[in-house]
Amino acid sequence: MTPSRITRMRTLGEAWGKYLTALIVSLFVAVCAAAFTLDLKAADGGEMPLSAVWALGVSRFLPALSAFLAMGLWSGERKSGRIDLLLSSPVRERSLVVGKFLGACESMLLSLLLVFAATMVPLTFVAPSAVSGIWLFLGAFFVLAMQGALWCALTSFASAVFPSAAVAACSSFLVSYALPRCGWYALLALHPRGPSAFGEMPLDAHVVDFASGCVSTGAIAFYAAMTGFCLFATSKTVALMRLQGRRAAGLRFSTRASIALAFVLAVLVSRLAFRLDIRADALAGGLELSDRTRDILSESGGEISATCFMSRGDARFRQVNRVLRAFAYESSMLGGAGIALRFVDPNWNVGEAGRLSRSGVPGNSVVWEKGYRRVVLPIDDGFDERGCASSVQRLTTPPQRRMVYWTAGHGEIGFDDYGLFGMSDIARDLSREGFVNARLDLAAEDRIPSDCALVVVAGPEYAFSRDESDRLDAYLRHGGRLLAMFDSADYAFSLLPAWGIRLSDEKPAPSGALAGTGAVACELDDHPVSRPLRGSRLMLENPVAFRPSSAVESGVGADKIGFWRLAGAGDSAVAVAAERGAGAG
């Protein structure tokens, strides 16, 4: 047998021949199981996969386990006096270092397997659906094994540097866990933008990526390079032990210099690997999309390209990448549009970045394209699942009736009003849904344009003329939609009574939650308009009450008017809907 194999078997036997090792591993399994249970409660209702929740809990305790398993690799040899025998044997230092490292790694992997089994067996009975995503758990196990190997190599180096095993374990834990996290939290606390400036803790981010099915070549290269450096540094440190008592100052200096150069090389290799990072969805799963998004993707068709135009060093890149890959995966699984992803880093893909800039695409944005149609989604405005779903819908929906017309000329609030009571927030959300906002002067138009999806009357102060009301009525009778908002019951909108709605003189009772004339609407009807808001509370300042008019009872058949109380504050209806015809929806 080779010296490395003999050393590995001896190290493994010594580790598992101690009762303390069994006790520590048992404690590790119990603590990881308890952490998984607590993290499940904290992550309830979130978007993180079950495998990522499990892996994050294990990764918190893995540095401590690795420090215990590897702390005596060389400190123990010094204490027992066997170090002189090892150094006097005709065996190269790297063979001894690799053998001891492999023995510690096998102990660490066996502990991970016990935690994995202790998690998967109960899940098989409690949540069988979670076991179907076992490939995600295997991805999480892989990244944990890479991290554990790095921590074992780091502790091996510390054990060669410090004669005391306890000091070696403490220093390893300090470097692998305490310093990175404390430094990261310090950056978040000191930077004005907080977490948005740096994103997730890199070590945790790697765990979430692999546990979500996103394999990163940059992360693999990083762990391999740093583990190789730690083993090289350990080998050179053991070699320095051979020089004790000799006059070899030059050799000692060159050995220490080689360790420093190896560290620089490992950092440069890691930096280059992350710059050339290739990410692939090797495993199924990832971000859980909403039912509405899945419906949009299932109804889409054709080929869509999504270009992420931002630096990979941006703290938001990781989340953007996850959302885009989730869209591409879900769309393919649902038989929807084929979404091709491209990532353009302006610091690296200079030519492609210049082409996008010349075409008017701003930096830090995602460009959705299908044929000649394009939707640019700025990341600075807030990048989320809803914006991406709206972009896909805008590209795949025929461009008909995509205009929202806001009436003007009667003292209405404008859609470009950014004041406290302005409509700019509503207008921006409509734009994200693919609609185009525009003003409409009913006095100057013979009829409402055919591309109109919605007419908005926002707080008019003056009455509409008969001709204007007739144009609105004709539009509604041909299947149009109208959203009318009022801040005073003194103004009578002549069109409403014919459509079953009348403004009431009674004021909604003030709510104790708001001072003055404010009210809180808690009663939301199960109507398509108000159903998404059920369970929410609407806070209204000086609301207007509505009641049905006589037109609700007079019509029959296709002329029947339906009246729905969408939201109520006490006995008053503060938001209502009227629809003409049976099954108008």
Side-chain angles (χ1 to χ4, degrees):
M1 292 190 293
T2 62
S4 297
R5 186 176 180 183
I6 295 175
T7 306
R8 176 185 64 83
M9 294 177 63
R10 187 169 74 86
T11 303
L12 194 61
E14 288 180 351
W16 289 96
K18 301 176 182 178
Y19 291 107
L20 184 59
T21 301
L23 178 62
I24 294 297
V25 171
S26 301
L27 181 62
F28 173 72
V29 174
V31 170
C32 289
F36 180 51
T37 304
L38 296 176
D39 291 344
L40 275 180
K41 295 181 179 179
D44 188 23
E47 299 176 340
M48 187 174 295
L50 190 64
S51 54
V53 176
W54 171 76
L56 284 175
V58 176
S59 67
R60 293 199 299 266
F61 306 101
L62 191 58
L65 175 69
S66 301
F68 168 79
L69 293 175
M71 67 180 182
L73 292 182
W74 296 102
S75 302
E77 301 290 2
R78 288 182 178 183
K79 183 178 180 180
S80 64
R82 288 197 302 264
I83 188 66
D84 295 331
L85 179 62
L86 290 175
L87 296 180
S88 62
S89 63
V91 179
R92 300 182 67 88
E93 296 88 357
R94 65 168 175 262
S95 298
L96 299 175
V97 169
V98 170
K100 287 181 173 293
F101 166 73
L102 291 178
C105 271
E106 287 188 21
S107 299
M108 179 270 301
L109 289 175
L110 180 59
S111 303
L112 280 180
L113 283 174
L114 292 175
V115 174
F116 182 78
T119 303
M120 297 306 297
V121 172
L123 285 179
T124 304
F125 299 97
V126 177
S129 59
V131 183
S132 61
I134 191 172
W135 294 108
L136 295 178
F137 280 91
L138 292 179
F141 185 89
F142 177 72
V143 70
L144 290 175
M146 289 194 300
Q147 288 189 350
L150 175 56
W151 307 147
C152 286
L154 179 62
T155 308
S156 177
F157 175 49
S159 179
V161 172
F162 301 104
S164 172
V167 174
C170 291
S171 61
S172 173
F173 182 78
L174 185 68
V175 174
S176 62
Y177 185 86
L179 284 181
R181 295 184 183 276
C182 291
W184 194 260
Y185 295 143
L187 286 176
L188 298 185
L190 295 175
H191 199 279
R193 288 168 50 197
S196 62
F198 300 100
E200 298 173 278
M201 168 71 180
L203 296 177
D204 292 342
H206 297 160
V207 172
V208 174
D209 282 346
F210 279 80
S212 302
C214 182
V215 177
S216 168
T217 58
I220 295 175
F222 165 74
Y223 289 110
M226 298 310 296
T227 301
F229 159 73
C230 290
L231 293 178
F232 175 81
T234 305
S235 177
K236 291 302 180 182
T237 303
V238 174
L240 286 175
M241 297 179 188
R242 293 181 185 268
L243 302 178
Q244 291 181 356
R246 301 181 185 180
R247 290 186 175 182
L251 189 56
R252 290 190 182 91
F253 174 79
S254 62
T255 301
R256 293 188 178 96
S258 65
I259 295 176
L261 291 176
F263 177 73
V264 174
L265 178 61
V267 172
L268 293 177
V269 169
S270 301
R271 179 65 178 171
L272 180 62
F274 280 118
R275 177 58 66 91
L276 301 177
D277 190 19
I278 299 175
R279 295 172 179 267
D281 291 317
L283 308 173
L287 187 67
E288 189 71 24
L289 300 181
S290 64
D291 292 338
R292 176 182 178 274
T293 298
R294 291 170 58 87
D295 290 340
I296 292 175
L297 292 176
S298 63
E299 295 173 359
S300 64
E303 298 294 329
I304 298 176
S305 69
T307 302
C308 178
F309 183 27
M310 68 182 303
S311 171
R312 290 180 179 268
D314 194 303
R316 298 165 295 182
F317 174 78
R318 194 175 300 276
Q319 177 62 20
V320 172
N321 175 63
R322 287 179 191 161
V323 174
L324 293 179
R325 292 190 181 279
F327 267 70
Y329 173 77
E330 288 291 344
S331 185
S332 63
M333 291 296 99
L334 295 171
I339 301 179
L341 303 181
R342 292 194 308 149
F343 297 91
V344 178
D345 189 336
N347 299 323
W348 191 254
N349 310 102
V350 180
E352 187 65 18
R355 186 188 69 82
L356 289 173
S357 298
R358 288 191 296 271
S359 63
V361 177
N364 293 332
S365 61
V366 175
V367 184
W368 298 83
E369 295 177 294
K370 181 181 181 184
Y372 63 90
R373 303 176 68 181
R374 169 187 286 185
V375 177
V376 178
L377 193 60
I379 298 174
D380 295 334
D381 292 345
F383 184 86
D384 54 13
E385 174 190 337
R386 177 183 177 184
C388 292
S390 299
S391 300
V392 173
Q393 190 175 38
R394 291 171 64 179
L395 290 176
T396 56
T397 302
Q400 298 177 355
R401 293 203 172 197
R402 308 301 296 172
M403 299 295 296
V404 174
Y405 288 104
W406 299 68
T407 61
H410 312 89
E412 297 96 334
I413 303 173
F415 65 85
D416 54 355
D417 187 345
Y418 292 88
L420 181 61
F421 297 100
M423 295 293 167
S424 59
D425 288 340
I426 296 178
R428 182 172 59 251
D429 283 342
L430 287 170
S431 298
R432 288 177 177 175
E433 294 291 336
F435 295 95
V436 179
N437 296 282
R439 287 187 177 85
L440 176 65
D441 187 354
L442 289 171
E445 299 288 342
D446 294 335
R447 59 183 180 86
I448 296 177
S450 59
D451 59 356
C452 178
L454 172 69
V455 174
V456 180
V457 179
E461 298 179 358
Y462 312 109
F464 283 69
S465 67
R466 179 179 294 275
D467 291 339
E468 291 173 329
S469 298
D470 289 344
R471 288 167 190 150
L472 279 175
D473 185 70
Y475 164 73
L476 294 175
R477 291 183 180 277
H478 285 83
R481 292 184 173 90
L482 170 70
L483 172 63
M485 296 175 282
F486 305 95
D487 59 1
S488 174
D490 297 334
Y491 173 76
F493 190 28
S494 59
L495 184 65
L496 292 185
W499 282 86
I501 301 175
R502 184 178 298 277
L503 275 69
S504 176
D505 295 332
E506 299 178 359
K507 299 290 292 184
S511 172
L514 295 176
T517 57
V520 177
C522 305
E523 306 167 12
L524 298 174
D525 188 69
D526 188 23
H527 184 274
V529 172
S530 54
R531 186 178 301 133
L533 297 175
R534 298 195 75 183
S536 304
R537 295 187 178 186
L538 308 182
M539 293 184 291
L540 305 173
E541 173 64 26
N542 195 26
V544 177
F546 300 92
R547 58 186 177 86
S549 69
S550 58
V552 174
E553 303 296 336
S554 60
V556 293
D559 292 327
K560 180 176 178 59
I561 300 294
F563 179 90
W564 283 268
R565 170 178 159 145
L566 300 182
D571 296 332
S572 303
V574 294
V576 298
E579 297 175 3
R580 175 175 175 268

